[in-house]
Amino acid sequence: MHLEQLEQAEALFKPQRIEVLRRLAEPATCGEVAEQLGQTPQRVYYHVKRLVEAGLVTQVDERKVRGIREGIYQATARSYWLSPTLVGRIGGLRRTRDELSLGYVLDLMEEVQTDIAALDRSAPELPSIGVSGEIRVPPDRRREFFEDLRGTLQDLFERYGGSEGDAFKLAVACYPKGDRSND
């Protein structure tokens, strides 16, 4: 899902909401998500309500539990893409936004390390690929570059995002390369 609205992007800038959204890849109640995250159902419901308002989650069903109606929610997409037109418009100072973005990259790398460490390395075949390289983008072409990157990745997710076949995780990190000439 390509996010064009500022409210949608801002709804995602809470780490707790991202975790809730991940848990709602499959239909679940706020109580079920709360149990998975070790949170109270009320706290999870608060975040789910904001995600519903932003159009990132929908109520797909309802059930009655001990006389109380309980909503069953699901994320509206398998992945979310922030439109480059929103960059720079999301609240806070540039430095704060950059720290959030770099923080996300660090969290992503930690998640990749955890996933790889959990693989059964005694398996005869572990199909995987690692690619790394440096790209130089003039400041006036950054937007074009990020749009190209987003489009390429979105195409892959759409082509291979079905529910059949082996599941692979694709993690892409793009960050400014520090000057290491003084090392």
Side-chain angles (χ1 to χ4, degrees), residues 136-148:
R136 296 196 175 263
V137 181
D140 62 330
R141 295 193 62 204
R142 278 189 197 144
R143 182 176 179 163
E144 176 187 353
F145 167 70
F146 285 122
E147 287 175 359
D148 284 349

Side-chain angles (χ1 to χ4, degrees), residues 3-13 54 56 82-83 85-91 97:
L3 304 181
E4 295 283 348
Q5 298 176 8
L6 186 60
E7 297 78 23
Q8 291 176 313
E10 287 177 338
L12 285 177
F13 276 144
L56 305 175
L82 182 62
S83 169
T85 61
L86 294 177
V87 176
R89 293 178 50 208
I90 298 169
R97 286 192 314 271

Side-chain angles (χ1 to χ4, degrees), residues 51-96:
L51 291 166
V52 167
E53 290 169 357
L56 305 175
V57 166
T58 57
Q59 184 173 339
V60 295
D61 204 353
E62 187 177 81
R63 67 180 178 203
K64 208 171 190 181
V65 178
R66 293 184 287 257
I68 298 173
R69 293 191 186 279
E70 187 174 42
I72 299 173
Y73 301 90
Q74 185 170 17
T76 58
R78 294 175 61 87
S79 60
Y80 299 89
W81 297 91
L82 182 62
S83 169
T85 61
L86 294 177
V87 176
R89 293 178 50 208
I90 298 169
L93 301 171
R94 177 179 169 81
R95 182 169 180 230
T96 303

